[in-house]
Amino acid sequence: MHILVLLKMVPDVVEDLEIASGGTALDLDCQRMILSESDDHALEQALLLKERHGAKLTVLAVDAAEVDDALFTAAAKGADRVMKIVGSDAGLTTRQAARVLSQTIAEEPGLMPVDLILTGVQAIDDLDGLIAPLVADELHMPYLGIITGIALDVSSDTARAIKEYPSGVRGEFQIQLPAVLGIQAAEKPPRYVPVAKIRAAMKTVKIECAQVLTLADGGWPAVNVLEMKQNEPAGHAEMLEGAPAQVSARLCEILAGRGLF
């Protein structure tokens, strides 16, 4: 059993976000990067499956600021192999990242065959949650997302996955392996690993590097960002009162006055 986890670094929104001089992207050089929360849950779910089934666990990420810390932490938690993809510029689009990850999985020795690929269902800079389904499409694997629990049946190469829906509704699906799953939450909270253990991993674990093959979007439609702006403090709030028709009319007046309607 071979499980592969895809990790992504995202800006730490505790700090102020800065826009690059071009005005169409964040200035990632000025941002502190942290592991995406849902990817942390994907790693935890993979660790639980590794402990139950004796699986081999590989962790893969595209190179980014602070990614080494995330990979060493994954190794300290129990990952057998950690790898990053180098050679790309910062700020890959979601589609470019999916293509880079897919090609690396397909071409890099030892990553295939893989029985299960786990990654977070979404990230704060990719709320559409496209990485997992795009990777699944590239690798011709089935995909299922918004997963909160996994049970493997190794004898039949299948997995039972719990998928969450709005209003607390949950569904149980059986999916044939190999497959790609988008994890919303692991069955248990992500485990804490002592700093001393991470430092020990830094001395003993080698992060493997794979060279990026191409940045082509692969024919997927691209979304072009025309402009980004910082939020501007309004200074005051206007409370709209009256009948629904009056409130609606006033709201439309405000939006039209600001060129938004």
Side-chain angles (χ1 to χ4, degrees):
M1 172 66 64
H2 181 200
I3 301 173
L4 175 62
V5 177
L6 308 180
L7 300 184
K8 179 180 182 180
M9 306 304 291
V10 298
D12 186 354
V13 295
V14 172
E15 302 181 357
D16 292 335
L17 300 179
E18 299 291 337
I19 297 176
S21 58
T24 60
L26 293 176
D27 187 351
L28 298 180
D29 292 334
C30 297
Q31 303 299 147
R32 177 176 179 267
M33 305 294 282
I34 60 173
L35 179 61
S36 176
E37 181 180 4
S38 58
D39 286 353
D40 199 11
H41 279 267
L43 175 60
E44 179 60 31
Q45 186 63 62
L47 290 166
L48 293 173
L49 295 174
K50 169 185 167 69
E51 292 164 355
R52 293 171 190 165
H53 301 281
K56 175 186 176 182
L57 174 55
T58 301
V59 176
L60 176 66
V62 177
D63 195 16
E66 319 294 341
V67 73
D68 286 8
D69 291 343
L71 292 174
F72 282 128
T73 299
K77 288 183 176 183
D80 300 296
R81 183 183 184 189
V82 290
M83 177 181 293
K84 63 180 178 180
I85 306 171
V86 300
S88 65
D89 295 329
L92 294 181
T93 68
T94 298
R95 289 163 176 78
Q96 286 175 331
R99 172 55 62 89
V100 166
L101 289 165
S102 302
Q103 290 185 336
T104 302
I105 294 169
E107 301 294 336
E108 191 68 21
L111 294 184
M112 292 287 277
V114 62
D115 298 286
L116 193 60
I117 298 176
L118 303 182
T119 191
V121 72
Q122 61 182 190
I124 59 172
D125 58 352
D126 175 32
L127 296 181
D128 291 332
L130 292 177
I131 281 285
L134 289 175
V135 168
D137 180 68
E138 281 286 301
L139 297 176
H140 308 292
M141 295 181 182
Y143 162 76
L144 193 62
I146 319 181
I147 302 303
T148 58
I150 305 171
L152 297 179
D153 186 341
V154 179
S155 63
S156 63
D157 289 328
T158 60
R160 292 197 319 276
I162 304 298
K163 180 179 174 70
E164 197 165 277
Y165 292 91
S167 302
V169 176
R170 301 198 307 169
E172 183 174 318
F173 292 79
Q174 179 171 296
I175 190 167
Q176 190 68 39
L177 302 182
V180 181
L181 300 181
I183 304 300
Q184 176 163 290
E187 297 167 36
K188 296 182 179 181
R191 64 194 65 187
Y192 169 78
V193 57
V195 174
K197 195 170 183 180
I198 298 174
R199 289 176 177 170
M202 290 178 176
K203 296 178 181 179
T204 59
V205 174
K206 178 183 178 182
I207 297 177
E208 301 177 46
C209 294
Q211 191 67 32
V212 65
L213 298 178
T214 178
L215 295 182
D217 281 336
W220 291 315
V223 176
N224 296 319
V225 177
L226 301 180
E227 185 179 11
M228 297 179 70
K229 289 184 178 181
Q230 294 278 17
N231 289 332
E232 298 180 6
H236 73 280
E238 179 181 347
M239 304 303 295
L240 303 182
E241 299 179 352
Q246 293 174 315
V247 173
S248 298
R250 177 56 183 151
L251 180 58
C252 291
E253 181 183 336
I254 295 172
L255 294 176
R258 299 187 179 186
L260 301 174
F261 184 76

